[in-house]
């Protein structure tokens, strides 16, 4: 095998609370992740010359050694004592710096793809451990489906994935730095632990009405105070016909709605399309990475 093609799926957070500050500067979270159908394509090819080369046409994505896909390949190479030369082509569809874990998904696709392409035989647990050194969302992107995430998001407990639930995603074109959002967070106002437990029960029962009513993200407060238009967009989305509930994903600025069905998603899509820089309908996905 000379190449491998991997779909790198984005994620949303159905629930996100910050439950503690750590000595290393990170925050401990309680979050519920779900993979979604929106994905980048990551094509990994063996090449004659040594080294790692990344191609991506998106202007906001670096192609040097700071690219998360590049870092993932380097990390695997270090782990096994060299893997020879590879090129990585990224076809970007996931908006960048948008709370959808696009970079982390690319890193997960490389860890999974390179392991298969070079028949390295590394276990999923080891790949997830390596992934956690690259970014807090990488282990979940490898895991995929639905999971409760604790710690910085790397301690995962599998939940049953929601099957084919329709979603609408909107991004007003604002790139948000995750670090700056955490800096602005008023930690004392974010205690909603009980709500996290409630929404987990609804996910386990696949009860979309209950999920829609209990969506929560404590990072909305600092993002909406700096970018009020994101809050306005979320409010408008949540009052659309056929919407079970709406929320900002991760550190934003993408907002998503859980909707009755694909028709409702498409109707809202036409309503918003001309006003935001990114608008797409998709569904929940049972996987985070997928070789095709
Ligand atoms: P996070 O919450 O981890 O910041 P995000 O989904 O909000 O995730 P990403 O799309 O991962 O944000 O982008 C965050 C930053 O990472 C951007 O500034 C981007 O330039 C950089 N980056 C590095 N590699 C990649 C990649 N392969 N894809 C997208 N962004 C990348």
């Amino acid at each position: 095998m000379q190449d491998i093609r991997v779909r790198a799926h984005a994620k949303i957070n159905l629930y996100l609370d910050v439950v503690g500050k750590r000595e290393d500067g990170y925050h401990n979270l309680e979050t519920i992740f779900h993979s979604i159908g929106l994905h980048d394509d990551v094509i990994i090819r063996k090449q004659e010359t040594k080294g790692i080369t990344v191609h991506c046409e998106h202007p906001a994505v670096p192609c040097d050694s700071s690219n998360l896909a590049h870092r993932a390949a380097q990390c695997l190479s270090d782990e096994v004592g060299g893997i020879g030369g590879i090129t990585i082509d990224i076809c970007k569809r996931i908006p960048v710096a948008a709370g959808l874990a696009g970079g982390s998904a690319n890193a997960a696709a490389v860890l999974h793809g390179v392991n298969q392409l070079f028949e390295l035989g590394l276990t999923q647990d080891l790949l997830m451990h390596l992934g956690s050194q690259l970014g807090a969302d990488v282990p979940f992107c490898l895991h995929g489906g639905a999971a409760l995430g604790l710690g910085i998001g790397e301690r995962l407990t599998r939940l049953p994935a929601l099957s084919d639930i329709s979603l609408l995603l909107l991004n007003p074109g604002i790139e948000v730095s995750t670090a700056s959002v955490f800096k602005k967070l008023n930690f004392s106002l974010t205690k909603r632990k009980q709500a996290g437990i409630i929404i987990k029960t609804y996910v386990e029962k696949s009860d979309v009405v209950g999920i829609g009513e209990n969506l929560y993200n404590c990072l909305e407060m600092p993002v909406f105070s700096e970018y009020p238009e994101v809050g306005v967009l979320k409010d408008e989305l949540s009052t659309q016909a056929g919407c079970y509930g709406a929320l900002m994903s991760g550190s934003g600025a993408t907002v998503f709605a859980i909707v009755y069905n694909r028709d409702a998603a498409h109707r809202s899509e036409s309503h918003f399309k001309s006003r935001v820089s990114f608008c797409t309908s998709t569904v929940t996905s049972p996987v985070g990475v997928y070789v095709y």
Side-chain angles (χ1 to χ4, degrees):
M1 192 158 65
Q2 284 305 307
D3 58 39
I4 192 163
R5 291 162 182 261
V6 190
R7 283 191 192 131
H9 288 265
K11 63 82 188 161
I12 52 173
N13 303 81
L14 301 173
Y15 180 85
L16 197 163
D17 199 8
V18 175
V19 294
K21 210 169 175 180
R22 297 155 54 112
E23 284 186 359
D24 61 8
Y26 284 96
H27 291 81
N28 279 323
L29 308 179
E30 183 174 288
T31 187
I32 294 180
F33 293 109
H34 210 301
S35 304
I36 60 172
L38 173 69
H39 62 273
D40 292 341
D41 290 329
V42 178
I43 301 153
I44 307 160
R45 293 189 179 85
K46 290 182 182 171
Q47 65 175 16
E48 297 278 302
T49 46
K50 282 201 166 167
I52 301 159
T53 314
V54 174
H55 300 294
C56 180
E57 292 196 348
H58 195 294
V61 176
C63 287
D64 59 13
S65 59
S66 69
N67 188 296
L68 271 161
H70 191 294
R71 290 181 53 211
Q74 188 62 56
C75 174
L76 266 188
S77 177
D78 294 345
E79 177 69 22
V80 300
I83 51 168
I86 56 169
T87 56
I88 302 167
D89 282 292
I90 302 168
C91 172
K92 224 345 92 228
R93 295 194 200 87
I94 306 171
V96 176
L100 298 172
S104 301
N106 294 170
V110 168
L111 292 172
H112 185 78
V114 169
N115 189 39
Q116 284 202 10
L117 182 63
F118 290 90
E119 296 176 15
L120 301 177
L122 304 185
T123 63
Q124 177 80 348
D125 278 355
L126 178 55
L127 293 181
M128 283 171 60
H129 172 71
L130 295 175
S132 70
Q133 296 165 8
L134 301 167
D137 292 338
V138 181
F140 173 72
C141 291
L142 273 164
H143 179 284
L148 169 71
L150 301 176
I152 58 169
E154 88 294 5
R155 281 169 38 212
L156 299 169
T157 307
R158 185 173 291 282
L159 295 172
L162 299 168
S163 174
D164 243 5
I165 301 298
S166 293
L167 303 164
L168 183 72
L169 267 62
L170 303 178
N171 187 294
I174 299 165
E175 287 191 9
V176 177
S177 141
T178 304
S180 75
V181 172
F182 274 97
K183 243 180 237 158
K184 281 204 212 92
L185 181 71
N186 187 338
F187 183 53
S188 60
L189 297 178
T190 69
K191 296 278 157 8
R192 284 274 309 253
K193 237 183 160 204
Q194 193 57 31
I197 294 159
I198 290 169
I199 196 168
K200 180 169 162 281
T201 312
Y202 286 118
V203 172
E204 282 161 348
K205 289 193 292 197
S206 219
D207 179 339
V208 269
V209 177
I211 295 168
E213 283 169 359
N214 288 281
L215 296 169
Y216 176 73
N217 181 351
C218 74
L219 300 179
E220 284 186 335
M221 214 189 315
V223 173
F224 293 177
S225 71
E226 186 165 357
Y227 306 106
E229 62 271 42
V230 183
V232 170
L233 204 56
K234 178 198 151 180
D235 288 344
E236 194 179 342
L237 189 55
S238 58
T239 55
Q240 288 290 298
C243 177
Y244 288 118
L247 191 73
M248 185 182 84
S249 182
S251 54
T254 303
V255 290
F256 67 90
I258 301 180
V259 291
Y260 290 3
N261 51 36
R262 281 166 208 245
D263 285 349
H266 288 136
R267 268 197 305 278
S268 293
E269 195 177 346
S270 350
H271 176 82
F272 287 104
K273 197 126 211 162
S274 59
R275 294 170 36 204
V276 291
S277 71
F278 178 83
C279 174
T280 195
S281 55
T282 186
V283 289
T284 49
S285 163
V287 292
V289 289
Y290 181 78
V291 175
Y292 64 102

